[in-house]
Amino acid sequence: MNFERYQIKSYSEYLSKYKKSINTPDVFWEAVAEHFLWHKKWDSVCLGDFKNLDIRWFEGGQLNITENCLDRLIPTHKNKVALYFEPNNVETPTRQYTYQELLDEVCLFAHVLKNNGVKKGDRVCIYMSMIPEGIIAMLACARIGAIHTVVFAGFSAQSIATRIEDCGVSFVIVNNAGIRGEKKLYLKSIVDTALNLVSDKQLVRKVLVVKHTEDAVDMVSERDIWLHEEIAKVKDMGLSFFPAVVMEAEDMLFIMYTSGSTAKPKGVVHTVAGYMIYANYTFVNIYQIKEGHVHFCSADIGWITGHTYLVYAPLSAGVQSVLYEGTPTYPSPSRLWQIVEKYKVKSLILAPTTIRMLMTYGTKPIEQYDLSSLKVINSIGEPLNESAWDWVHNHIGNKHAAIVDSWWQTETGGIMISSFAGITPSQKSYSTLPFFGIVPILLNDFGAKIRESNVKGHLCIKQSWPAIVRTNYSDHDRFKETYFSKFPNYYYAGDVAMKDKKGFYRILGRADEVLNVSGHRIGSAELENTIASCEAVIETAVVSFHEDIKGEGIYAFVVLKPNYKDYLEIRNQIIDKVAQVIGSFAKPDKIQFVVGLPKTRSGKIMRRILKKIANNDIENIGETSTIIDASVIDDIIRNKQS
Ligand code: PRX
């Protein structure tokens, strides 16, 4: 495939094409869609808008995303590598799959699913670490038309159970155990615990287990099956190729759960055609993909970045992707640079938190590695602060690689605001310009458009784009309420941003009660509910505070019931509870026991004040006259955690 022919090549081309993309989106996206493999072309390009919220792209079209990621590439990429697997331990042999081999594996896996009763529309939960079988499992679901919901392998059993119940999962795929750095993750046993927590014991019929390590697991008879045994059966049956199930453009491809401002995570639904086209087109243009491009996305498949820019977009663009199982610091903080040198990586996706963490080791771990292959360093998930930008630019990109800071969300499916590597200007701390078809707008608290430059506002999007979230699984009302009620007729992202004189956007952080810790999105209500479920706790408020490496840390203010005074013990209980209910990554960094929380007369907790205290910004606490009992603030400040 030659994707270069639909890539923009200059800033002026971006400017003229951008205008066309927003003025005549149907014409624009139709031309892009022509490059893909369809069983039947679409009847219309975009239907529905932000008023009726029945959004449909390429309606009437029929296709399968795996044919576009695999079969379509066979004539040109049959023997080219699609996936390099770099295991956690340096001594473990690496693996690689050509496009043909990956297609073969996906077909065998799809047969296994089918033989075990999985069919189009079924929901399949994937709880796996960063191994090729995780990607193969996703693609096999897509091939058969099952809807995957990948749960990040850091989530707890309780979180898995909640997700399984919410979308009615009937089939689970897991590896017996995973390895990350020095740590073993006993994933199968976590799934066992999760399934015990699911109230409908008939819901999950089968658990397919991938043997990744030598660790033994308990297999529940009638329910649990080994992948290698099932594949052997498929081969014995003489089956190999699996014809892709023909999907409607708007059939669901996957559900990805994400945190919002309420306690329950919501199931973000993406559909086949629009997602695929947008993922591919952003990738090819922003990363300026050329023949033989090697791409390394260090994000986990359990998050949207892994879905879009580790699995679907790179494969659909015929690049060679690197999948790395371990952590950036194992066995040493040189690991990522060793991988870049080994595979001659051209584009690298890094979270700012990883950059800041690696910065603490200085430049020594980098010095002996040749990073000259790197052309694009892409930062995703949090604001990339200036010192991190400088460090990457000077030491990783050696002043020649493009630093691309891309803003987007689980709900947007693909990158929304970003520079295009080496094509459009890149500016420190700015995500810069909107992608084709994206019309950002900044609104003030009253919904009026902010026209001046450098004024903060709510980042909203004015018109539909192909990969926009279609609904929240089985809760369309919540979808309408979350994204379209604060400012009717606009998609509300929940972020605060500003725009400079040149029209470049700078993302400043969340406006709502969502925390962004190491690039992980965590709802404060979700955390508060969990902490409040500890026996000793009356109530709690959770806010974020600035943390040098993680970007944001979690600060919990907790009011205890009378006579609960064993603070150390209660503190441990709270931390254990959060790890058990959500996952270890959501543990509070600071817990302060307080006599009360500052509240308005209507009983609303004044988080604004707590956030100022957590950030040591006590002089700027502001107006406190509306608080019922202002003395609690003095108490909180007096006993603040350093
Ligand atoms: O607050 C923004 C932040 O991450 C949020 C989306 O999180 P999630 O759905 O988990 O997706 C993360 C990967 C796309 C956004 O609402 N965010 C994402 N990218 C950036 C960012 N904040 C600043 N700069 C970015 N480049």
Side-chain angles (χ1 to χ4, degrees), residues 216-254:
V217 289
D218 293 332
M219 296 293 275
V220 176
S221 71
E222 308 283 304
R223 191 196 71 182
D224 299 352
I225 45 178
W226 285 107
L227 177 70
H228 57 273
E229 290 177 3
E230 294 303 305
I231 286 192
K233 284 185 207 161
V234 167
K235 287 184 176 163
D236 284 349
M237 290 159 83
L239 299 169
S240 51
F241 185 73
F242 188 100
V245 169
V246 177
M247 305 288 283
E248 300 296 325
E250 279 297 331
D251 278 338
M252 283 186 205
L253 174 64
F254 66 84

Side-chain angles (χ1 to χ4, degrees), residues 123-407:
R123 273 79 62 213
V124 174
C125 170
I126 299 175
Y127 186 66
M128 294 178 75
S129 52
M130 293 280 279
I131 56 174
E133 289 83 353
I135 294 179
I136 294 166
M138 288 167 72
L139 294 166
C141 287
R143 189 138 188 114
I144 202 166
I147 303 159
H148 57 71
T149 182
V150 182
V151 177
F152 170 57
F155 273 114
S156 66
Q158 178 67 65
S159 295
I160 304 172
T162 312
R163 285 155 176 75
I164 285 177
E165 287 185 327
D166 189 74
C167 67
V169 164
S170 58
F171 196 94
V172 176
I173 309 172
V174 62
N175 44 315
N176 60 336
I179 330 166
R180 266 180 72 73
E182 313 242 342
K183 237 167 92 188
K184 269 275 170 74
L185 312 165
Y186 296 100
L187 302 178
K188 166 66 167 64
S189 101
I190 299 174
V191 162
D192 289 339
T193 311
L195 294 183
N196 282 332
L197 296 169
V198 172
S199 45
D200 177 359
K201 302 291 178 228
Q202 307 302 315
L203 190 58
V204 174
R205 291 180 301 96
K206 291 260 159 92
V207 177
L208 179 62
V209 188
V210 178
K211 187 171 185 306
H212 179 59
T213 65
E214 293 307 315
D215 298 280
V217 289
D218 293 332
M219 296 293 275
V220 176
S221 71
E222 308 283 304
R223 191 196 71 182
D224 299 352
I225 45 178
W226 285 107
L227 177 70
H228 57 273
E229 290 177 3
E230 294 303 305
I231 286 192
K233 284 185 207 161
V234 167
K235 287 184 176 163
D236 284 349
M237 290 159 83
L239 299 169
S240 51
F241 185 73
F242 188 100
V245 169
V246 177
M247 305 288 283
E248 300 296 325
E250 279 297 331
D251 278 338
M252 283 186 205
L253 174 64
F254 66 84
I255 306 164
M256 169 113 262
Y257 282 86
T258 187
S259 295
S261 39
T262 60
K264 197 169 159 251
K266 45 185 187 278
V268 168
V269 170
H270 283 290
T271 56
V272 182
Y275 171 80
M276 172 188 83
I277 288 165
Y278 194 77
N280 171 279
Y281 200 57
T282 48
F283 183 71
V284 167
N285 277 288
I286 292 171
Y287 298 79
Q288 288 288 300
I289 299 304
K290 305 277 183 273
E291 190 56 44
H293 191 106
V294 181
H295 173 67
F296 176 17
C297 169
S298 63
D300 197 281
I301 53 162
W303 305 114
I304 191 70
T305 307
H307 278 49
T308 306
Y309 297 113
L310 172 53
V311 182
Y312 289 113
L315 291 173
S316 73
V319 309
Q320 302 166 14
S321 257
V322 179
L323 171 71
Y324 171 49
E325 184 179 21
T327 67
T329 50
Y330 183 79
S332 80
S334 293
R335 190 66 194 273
L336 295 185
W337 321 129
Q338 208 181 331
I339 297 174
V340 168
E341 180 185 80
K342 176 171 175 187
Y343 296 100
K344 299 197 168 38
V345 170
K346 271 200 165 166
S347 50
L348 170 66
I349 298 183
L350 282 174
T353 188
T354 308
I355 298 171
R356 290 190 293 263
M357 188 263 291
L358 291 171
M359 279 168 73
T360 63
Y361 295 92
T363 53
K364 202 120 203 92
I366 310 166
E367 276 159 18
Q368 53 183 304
Y369 296 97
D370 175 9
L371 305 182
S372 60
S373 60
L374 272 177
K375 297 282 175 284
V376 188
I377 301 166
N378 186 206
S379 161
I380 280 180
E382 303 157 67
L384 180 63
N385 50 305
E386 295 200 6
S387 57
W389 198 100
D390 286 337
W391 192 78
V392 169
H393 178 63
N394 293 331
H395 304 297
I396 310 302
N398 286 323
K399 300 187 180 151
H400 72 266
I403 312 293
V404 176
D405 175 346
S406 306
W407 173 82

Side-chain angles (χ1 to χ4, degrees), residues 442 449-456 498-501:
L442 297 177
K449 181 174 175 177
I450 296 173
R451 291 175 196 282
E452 309 81 21
S453 45
N454 300 321
V455 175
K456 285 187 198 173
M498 60 186 209
K499 193 160 83 159
D500 73 3
K501 283 206 174 66

Side-chain angles (χ1 to χ4, degrees), residues 492-611:
Y492 170 64
D495 280 310
V496 177
M498 60 186 209
K499 193 160 83 159
D500 73 3
K501 283 206 174 66
K502 298 190 287 292
F504 291 0
Y505 287 86
R506 176 177 188 165
I507 315 298
L508 299 161
R510 298 288 304 191
D512 52 10
E513 279 145 22
V514 172
L515 317 177
N516 190 340
V517 180
S518 302
H520 296 158
R521 200 166 139 179
I522 305 168
S524 49
E526 209 175 330
L527 263 172
E528 287 167 6
N529 259 20
T530 307
I531 296 174
S533 70
C534 292
E535 205 204 311
V537 176
I538 296 185
E539 64 173 347
T540 178
V542 170
V543 296
S544 66
F545 66 96
H546 174 78
E547 211 270 357
D548 282 348
I549 294 183
K550 299 202 283 187
E552 287 183 4
I554 300 174
Y555 198 128
F557 296 91
V558 179
V559 184
L560 295 179
K561 289 178 187 160
N563 303 326
Y564 280 88
K565 299 226 163 8
D566 191 350
Y567 300 124
L568 202 62
E569 169 68 21
I570 298 169
R571 207 189 131 74
N572 290 339
Q573 277 172 11
I574 291 174
I575 289 177
D576 288 350
K577 189 80 176 185
V578 171
Q580 182 202 335
V581 175
I582 304 175
S584 294
F585 63 89
K587 286 189 214 166
D589 300 272
K590 295 184 182 179
I591 298 175
Q592 182 180 347
F593 298 111
V594 296
V595 290
L597 297 169
K599 288 185 185 169
T600 61
R601 270 165 226 291
S602 59
K604 206 168 151 29
I605 296 171
M606 299 191 75
R607 286 162 207 285
R608 173 182 62 77
I609 291 179
L610 293 173
K611 200 161 175 174

Side-chain angles (χ1 to χ4, degrees), residues 590 611-619 640-642:
K590 295 184 182 179
K611 200 161 175 174
K612 294 267 182 211
I613 298 174
N615 282 291
N616 280 325
D617 193 10
I618 290 158
E619 291 81 58
K640 191 189 159 309
Q641 298 262 300
S642 53

